[in-house]
Structure formats: structure tokens, C-alpha cells
Amino acid sequence: MAEPAFAKINEAGALGDQLAAIIEQLPPDRLTLGELLQVFGDEGLLLLTILLTLVFLIPVSIPGVSTVFGAAILLVGISRVLRRPLWLPAKLRERALPAARLRPALSGGLHWVRRLEKISRPYRLRRLVDGRAQGIFNNLAFILAALLLMAPFGFIPFSNTLPGLALLFYAIGMIQRDGTAILLGHLANIGTIVYFGILIGGGGMAAHGLLRHFTG
């Protein structure tokens, strides 16, 4: 694979600053998930997850992105559960993404990361992050959030925002070992499930009402 058009970020620093530097160096036209993975490497998969969630934290719609990014995040979660390097299928790795449309959406979502950086504290509520059982549970919850992100409700307001927030909380909590952020991720997951339940229930009631109207 050709070298990406932007430099690999190795410097330590605040999450928001690292992400801003990466977004600034995105190519002007198109990029691929494989190129992004080259930038972050296996050690930076949680930082990559944060980058991929940014586009869902603002009211913008880029067709197909939730499926591609959600699948990539799902595989990140699976790699963490199995404790193996991330594997992406060639079709997903080489999928061209519209960098010109992604850059403003990613930049717009950065304010969430900067806000969370200000309130996140390393090693808070450590009992929620330390230990093998907690790690498995949190990574499975991470996978659930990725699946919820991929649900076919992208045209409905907040359907991508809620699981995107859950993934952002999980990633920051895992990086910072911050149990409070992990807890907020769990709450966002629960909120997403409740919201989707309302959408499905409301849709079912509407369909039932229409059926009765036309057959009654």
C-alpha cells in the first residue's frame, strides 16, 4: 500500500491536539481506512475510534459513513476482546472516503473531545476499568455501541449521535482508565437502546394504524 499523504503522528499530547493535527493533515480529496490505520497503528486504535466517532457528534449526514466507520469500530472492539491485532477486510480497508466532506465534520466534533478532556480524570472509579472481567464487559459494551451505530436509522435525528457518544466515552475512559467515562458510555448505550425501542414501537403503532385505516 502506498504511503499516506499525511505524516504519522507520534508525539504525545492532549487527545484533542493530536486529533486536530491528524485532521489538518488529511488529504484534500480522498483517503482510505487503511491509510488512517497506518497513521494510528495497533497501539492507537482507541484514538482512531475517537476520530471515527467525531463525524456522528454533529447534525451532518454523509451517506454510507456510519456503515463503514461502524464496521471498523466493531472490528476494533473484537480485536480488543480477542487481544489480537486489528484485521480489516480488503474491501473495507481500501474503501475510498470523501476527505473533503469529512474534514469539516471531524473538526466540528472535536469540541466534544476537548470538553471531555477537561472533565475526564485518570483512574477515577478504577473498579469499573481494572480487572479481566471488567475489561471483557467494557469491550463487549463497546462492540454493542458499534452495532447500534450501524443500525439503519441514520436518517433519524440522534440515532447516530447517541451510540457515537457511547463510543467516545468508552474510548476516552479506556485511554484514561477513567471509570466515570466508562459509566457514561454505559448510560449512553442504554439511552440508545431505549431510543431505538421507542422508534421501533412508534413505527409499529403507525403501521398498525395505517393497516386498520385501509382495511377497516
Side-chain angles (χ1 to χ4, degrees), residues 22-211:
I22 292 170
I23 293 169
E24 179 65 25
Q25 295 182 59
L26 291 179
D29 45 11
R30 288 182 177 271
L31 73 156
T32 66
L33 281 175
E35 289 174 331
L36 282 176
L37 186 58
Q38 279 187 290
V39 173
F40 290 95
D42 285 331
E43 298 80 13
L45 292 183
L46 290 174
L47 195 60
L48 173 62
T49 296
I50 294 174
L51 180 76
L52 297 182
T53 61
L54 295 182
V55 70
F56 306 113
L57 304 181
I58 60 174
V60 64
S61 177
I62 303 177
V65 168
S66 63
T67 302
V68 175
F69 283 12
I73 295 169
L74 174 65
L75 291 172
V76 169
I78 292 173
S79 74
R80 287 180 58 81
V81 170
L82 299 179
R83 295 187 173 186
R84 293 184 178 180
L86 175 65
W87 172 81
L88 290 179
K91 186 175 181 180
L92 190 62
R93 181 183 289 270
E94 297 169 6
R95 173 78 174 268
L97 301 168
R101 295 188 63 186
L102 283 173
R103 185 183 287 105
L106 293 170
S107 299
L110 265 179
H111 77 280
W112 285 98
V113 176
R114 297 193 186 281
R115 285 182 179 180
L116 285 176
E117 278 187 306
K118 292 178 180 178
I119 63 175
S120 180
R121 297 289 182 272
Y123 306 111
R124 274 189 311 192
L125 295 179
R126 292 182 60 175
R127 62 183 178 275
L128 295 181
V129 291
D130 289 345
R132 175 67 174 157
Q134 291 92 325
I136 293 174
F137 180 82
N138 292 335
N139 282 313
L140 290 175
F142 181 99
I143 289 172
L144 173 61
L147 291 171
L148 292 172
L149 182 66
M150 297 172 67
F153 296 121
F155 58 94
I156 299 175
F158 305 112
S159 60
N160 285 334
T161 303
L162 290 173
L165 276 174
L167 289 164
L168 179 60
F169 286 135
Y170 286 137
I172 289 180
M174 292 172 183
I175 290 172
Q176 300 270 65
R177 312 300 294 171
D178 182 357
T180 300
I182 295 292
L183 180 60
L184 289 173
H186 294 329
L187 292 175
N189 255 359
I190 294 170
T192 303
I193 293 170
V194 171
Y195 184 51
F196 284 3
I198 292 172
L199 291 178
I200 294 170
M205 291 178 62
H208 181 68
L210 286 173
L211 182 63

